[in-house]
Amino acid sequence: LSSSSAASDVYKRQDPVMLMSFLNTKLRDRYSSLEELCQDLEADQAELEKKLETIDYRYDPGKNQFV
């Protein structure tokens, strides 16, 4: 497994509501975009977005938040 796969596996197992809260906090406080966050955390952006779609949250680039 690559380090990217290992990091993504952690996010796959996390509760989607907790994941959304974590990501929105990071996006608000540290990252200017979801792409930047994913690169830094070695996470798969498509996988994160798919996970949060299960609770009807989608990334809004204008707000830089999952809404």
Side-chain angles (χ1 to χ4, degrees):
L1 287 176
S2 70
S3 61
S4 181
S5 293
S8 291
D9 286 345
V10 170
Y11 299 119
K12 283 182 197 176
R13 292 189 306 266
Q14 193 166 22
D15 174 75
V17 175
M18 295 299 292
L19 179 60
M20 181 269 303
S21 178
F22 169 80
L23 293 173
N24 276 345
T25 299
K26 291 291 187 186
L27 289 165
R28 181 192 68 218
D29 294 346
R30 182 166 180 193
Y31 298 100
S32 62
S33 70
L34 180 59
E35 182 179 357
E36 180 186 356
L37 178 148
C38 289
Q39 288 174 352
D40 191 45
L41 299 180
E42 297 181 338
D44 184 296
Q45 182 172 337
E47 287 180 9
L48 291 177
E49 290 181 288
K50 183 177 177 181
K51 176 90 172 189
L52 292 184
E53 284 176 6
T54 67
I55 58 169
D56 294 322
Y57 276 80
R58 284 160 186 73
Y59 179 66
D60 181 332
K63 294 181 179 180
N64 194 33
Q65 292 284 285
F66 280 92
V67 293

